[in-house]
Amino acid sequence: WDAHSLDGAMKFRAVSGESISTSEHASDLNFMPKKVRKAVKCDDNPADGCEDFPDELTYVTVGDNIASLYQVYNVSTPIDGRPAGLDAAGWKIWAANECHEMCVMTVGCVAGNAIGSTTADAFAFTCNLKKSVSDVYMSKKNKPEHLITGFIFNSYYDRKSKDIKFHTAEMIVE
């Protein structure tokens, strides 16, 4: 398999993309400690975006990379092992969850980012898996056709919270 293909990596680990949710967000997506959620006026469930700006939240973790994997989803000719007939909204949830699932199955992975874009005919993204996190950058500048989201496993954050800084366009929360 291509070492940078998310499809190949999932297949190697015997996971079908069809088993990954297209409607429920992984609970670690857009993880923010309570202090940060309050400062950016986000609700208690940032996994699905913030209530006041659900489609505009961007969230990127910065740290040491384990791997960067790519994937393209063709709307008219889906590939075996992927859910068929997804619209852009369903694909964005599925792609973020697939990246999260890949991190769960990768030794040493503690966080990641799913960054991509949609067009009428195809959706594509890169899944960046992290072995550490030093910073998280957030903004309210996302566009509906873009996927810019990430996650930190709660267990990692609990151990390293003093070393992780959360940044927004307006402030730094330490």
Side-chain angles (χ1 to χ4, degrees):
W1 57 279
D2 179 348
H4 298 285
S5 165
L6 186 55
D7 287 328
M10 295 294 278
K11 191 173 190 176
F12 179 77
R13 288 166 174 81
V15 174
S16 168
E18 292 174 325
S19 67
I20 295 172
S21 179
T22 60
S23 60
E24 296 292 323
H25 296 83
S27 63
D28 297 315
L29 285 175
N30 302 322
F31 172 81
M32 298 175 219
K34 187 175 184 176
K35 177 178 167 182
V36 174
R37 283 195 321 266
K38 190 173 182 178
V40 298
K41 298 180 175 81
C42 191
D43 57 88
D44 289 339
N45 183 23
D48 62 355
C50 296
E51 193 171 291
D52 291 341
F53 47 98
D55 297 324
E56 298 162 358
L57 178 65
T58 65
Y59 183 104
V60 178
T61 61
V62 176
D64 294 323
N65 216 38
I66 293 175
S68 291
L69 305 166
Y70 70 88
Q71 184 174 84
V72 176
Y73 180 94
N74 189 320
V75 176
S76 60
T77 55
I79 294 173
D80 275 350
R82 296 190 198 166
L86 289 179
D87 62 6
W91 172 81
K92 287 163 83 172
I93 295 169
W94 176 76
N97 285 342
E98 187 173 39
C99 186
H100 182 273
E101 184 69 19
M102 191 73 235
C103 189
V104 167
M105 296 182 302
T106 301
V107 175
C109 188
V110 298
N113 300 313
I115 300 173
S117 188
T118 65
T119 67
D121 300 325
F123 314 139
F125 80 106
T126 299
C127 171
N128 298 308
L129 303 178
K130 305 290 183 181
K131 63 182 176 182
S132 67
V133 177
S134 59
D135 298 273
V136 176
Y137 288 87
M138 300 180 295
S139 79
K140 299 177 187 177
K141 301 292 184 190
N142 207 6
K143 295 181 179 180
E145 65 272 16
H146 296 155
L147 169 67
I148 306 173
T149 193
F151 55 89
I152 301 173
F153 291 153
N154 290 326
S155 58
Y156 178 78
Y157 181 79
D158 289 345
R159 291 189 325 271
K160 299 289 187 174
S161 61
K162 293 178 183 169
D163 301 328
I164 301 172
K165 293 183 179 163
F166 285 78
H167 308 271
T168 72
E170 297 86 30
M171 70 190 96
I172 297 176
V173 180
E174 297 180 18

